[in-house]
Amino acid sequence: MDQDPGFIAAVEEAKKGAAEGGVPIGAALVSKDGKILGRGHNMRVQKGSAILHAEMSALEQSGRLPASAYEGATMYTTLSPCDMCTGACVLYKVKRVVVGENQNFQGGEELLLNRGKELVVLDNAECKELMATFIKEKPELWNEDIAV
């Protein structure tokens, strides 16, 4: 699954966020037929936003879609989604969430499973390294991002 176009797009977005000085988390929303509906990265720092986490950014970039477009979709994300992003996946009836890594942060995975969502954790080394480096170099931004 590391070679899935959706996951590759999520990693590209995470790197873009890092290059912009933001939190290096990326996401891509992919329809049940494999089309990337939207992709984005955490832009809390860049846009001064309280809510533009990567998954929210990917949903925003998807635009206004009918509910049927989200059903059966997969959200690819480089890091385990926080409670807000988990809730958005549940609200929009995303079927599956593919997580690059959950070692640096484990979000709402239990809620996803309890709500019948498929959860895949890839334990991807590149995603782990991106986050570990960021947390080490910018702990104050990381704590702000996860509301600590």
Side-chain angles (χ1 to χ4, degrees), residues 14-30:
K15 290 176 181 177
K16 185 176 179 183
E20 294 171 353
V23 183
I25 304 170
L29 181 64
V30 178

Side-chain angles (χ1 to χ4, degrees), residues 10-83:
V11 172
E12 288 171 353
E13 289 290 332
K15 290 176 181 177
K16 185 176 179 183
E20 294 171 353
V23 183
I25 304 170
L29 181 64
V30 178
S31 70
K32 61 185 167 194
D33 62 359
K35 177 184 175 198
I36 294 179
L37 299 172
R39 54 188 282 171
H41 54 278
N42 185 305
M43 294 193 299
R44 291 187 73 251
V45 173
Q46 299 92 313
K47 298 236 179 193
S49 171
I51 62 169
L52 277 179
H53 283 188
E55 300 87 346
M56 303 299 278
S57 182
L59 284 163
E60 179 72 16
Q61 293 303 313
S62 297
R64 184 175 168 195
L65 299 171
S68 60
Y70 302 106
E71 285 192 54
T74 297
M75 178 67 78
Y76 291 88
T77 181
T78 58
L79 185 68
S80 183
C82 73
D83 290 340

Side-chain angles (χ1 to χ4, degrees), residues 118-137:
E118 181 183 346
L119 175 67
V120 178
V121 179
L122 299 177
D123 197 33
N124 180 275
E126 184 175 21
C127 292
K128 286 192 280 193
E129 180 60 30
L130 271 171
M131 281 311 303
T133 299
F134 175 79
I135 291 167
K136 183 179 177 185
E137 292 176 356

